[in-house]
Amino acid sequence: MNKLPKLTSEPTRHPACCLSLSETLLATIKTLLDTSFPPHLQTQCRNIYAPRPGSDPALLLSIGSGTGLLEELLHNYLNSAIHNDSHGLSSARNESTRNAWRIEGVEVDLSVNIYLPEDRINHVPGTWAVLSSRTQNDAAALMFVYPRERGLVRRYVDAFFNTLTTTKDGRFVLWLGPKCDWEDTGFGDLTQTHTYSHSHAENRDEYEFEVLDMRDGDVGLAEYEMLAVLRLKRK
């Protein structure tokens, strides 16, 4: 695998990634994961969404991972015992949250991947295809970076949330890309059109979409880029 570049707090373009990258961005994603998956849900997700027998990290699937640069940087950042926080200060990770996430990529052409190891890259036969079993049964979160097809985003969202698992709480989807693409491939219309239901034993839960649009503020991206989070909330 290729050597990873060293990031700073300033968003920087890299030849191997469409998205501007920074330590601030990695810290932002970590905060979102920590907020959506507090310790009791992290434990629950490690039990339910364990990606491989005998392993315990919760799984984040990156759809269309390309070279795998962002994915490998994020994997290392989330799972390092000591990392630099958003102010550049070194701080120790709590042992209970160490190795809490496994970042895997999904790609059509595996030859474009130069950063992710073989055991963390998944193949699909075409740009229309959904990695159904991993998305429905294993993933705790999804990530789209510069997605090109609204239809594919929608199919993954449907597969991800319309699942038989009893644990919808905390699951969410990340969207990262240029602001000008949001209307074409973003989540905006989903808040108006979808409600999901889940019945378990005598209980029936109703959920609706909620979009957190992080268009403004310092999330660690270039000025023309944005981050959005799609998640379910109980009605």
Side-chain angles (χ1 to χ4, degrees), residues 198-217:
H198 175 70
S199 298
H200 180 63
E202 299 302 320
N203 299 318
R204 181 177 178 85
D205 295 325
E206 296 283 342
Y207 297 84
E208 61 186 0
F209 281 126
E210 177 182 46
V211 177
L212 174 62
D213 183 343
M214 303 181 70
R215 191 179 300 257
D216 301 314

Side-chain angles (χ1 to χ4, degrees), residues 36-37 41 44-45 48-49 135-136 139-141 157-173 195-200 204-209 230-235:
S36 293
F37 293 88
L41 280 182
Q44 196 172 27
C45 285
I48 295 175
Y49 306 124
T135 299
Q136 292 180 312
V157 167
D158 285 342
F160 184 57
F161 287 117
N162 193 17
T163 174
L164 295 178
T165 179
T166 60
T167 305
K168 290 180 185 288
D169 292 335
R171 301 180 108 207
F172 68 84
V173 185
T195 298
Y196 284 106
S197 300
H198 175 70
S199 298
H200 180 63
R204 181 177 178 85
D205 295 325
E206 296 283 342
Y207 297 84
E208 61 186 0
F209 281 126
L230 178 71
R231 58 192 177 194
L232 291 180
K233 63 178 180 179
R234 293 178 187 270
K235 294 186 67 176

Side-chain angles (χ1 to χ4, degrees), residues 170-182:
R171 301 180 108 207
F172 68 84
V173 185
L174 290 169
W175 188 101
L176 301 103
K179 296 174 181 177
C180 63
D181 284 357
W182 175 248

Side-chain angles (χ1 to χ4, degrees), residues 2-5 12-19 21 64-71 73 112-115 145:
N2 287 24
K3 183 178 180 180
L4 293 171
T12 305
R13 296 297 301 274
H14 294 267
C17 187
C18 297
L19 191 73
L21 302 176
S65 52
T67 65
L69 176 56
L70 169 60
E71 291 74 13
L73 285 167
V112 302
N113 170 57
I114 57 176
Y115 288 102
V145 180

Side-chain angles (χ1 to χ4, degrees), residues 25-234:
L25 173 63
L26 301 183
T28 298
I29 296 175
K30 178 186 180 299
T31 298
L32 289 169
L33 293 174
D34 289 347
T35 302
S36 293
F37 293 88
H40 73 283
L41 280 182
Q42 285 190 16
T43 301
Q44 196 172 27
C45 285
R46 286 197 295 270
N47 292 335
I48 295 175
Y49 306 124
R52 295 285 187 271
S55 63
D56 65 356
L59 173 65
L60 184 152
L61 275 181
S62 178
I63 313 305
S65 52
T67 65
L69 176 56
L70 169 60
E71 291 74 13
E72 188 64 5
L73 285 167
L74 182 60
H75 182 88
N76 288 351
Y77 184 85
L78 293 175
N79 295 313
S80 59
I82 297 177
H83 73 283
N84 291 328
D85 64 20
S86 58
H87 299 288
L89 301 176
S90 182
S91 59
R93 295 288 306 277
N94 184 296
E95 186 69 27
S96 65
T97 62
R98 189 174 299 177
N99 297 322
W101 287 92
R102 176 184 174 94
I103 312 301
E104 294 187 11
V106 180
E107 258 303 335
V108 176
D109 182 4
L110 298 187
S111 67
V112 302
N113 170 57
I114 57 176
Y115 288 102
L116 288 172
E118 289 185 7
D119 68 323
R120 286 196 285 110
I121 184 71
N122 299 275
H123 175 256
V124 287
T127 56
W128 45 266
V130 174
L131 191 68
S132 299
S133 62
R134 299 285 276 155
T135 299
Q136 292 180 312
N137 303 323
D138 301 331
L142 300 183
M143 181 168 69
F144 293 92
V145 180
Y146 273 65
R148 298 176 182 176
E149 296 185 25
R150 174 189 288 269
L152 183 64
V153 173
R154 184 61 167 270
R155 288 193 293 276
Y156 265 101
V157 167
D158 285 342
F160 184 57
F161 287 117
N162 193 17
T163 174
L164 295 178
T165 179
T166 60
T167 305
K168 290 180 185 288
D169 292 335
R171 301 180 108 207
F172 68 84
V173 185
L174 290 169
W175 188 101
L176 301 103
K179 296 174 181 177
C180 63
D181 284 357
W182 175 248
E183 295 301 321
D184 293 330
T185 62
F187 304 137
D189 65 327
L190 290 174
T191 56
Q192 305 300 321
T193 58
H194 269 60
T195 298
Y196 284 106
S197 300
H198 175 70
S199 298
H200 180 63
E202 299 302 320
N203 299 318
R204 181 177 178 85
D205 295 325
E206 296 283 342
Y207 297 84
E208 61 186 0
F209 281 126
E210 177 182 46
V211 177
L212 174 62
D213 183 343
M214 303 181 70
R215 191 179 300 257
D216 301 314
D218 185 13
V219 298
L221 293 171
E223 184 177 352
Y224 58 87
E225 294 173 322
M226 61 175 281
L227 181 156
V229 181
L230 178 71
R231 58 192 177 194
L232 291 180
K233 63 178 180 179
R234 293 178 187 270

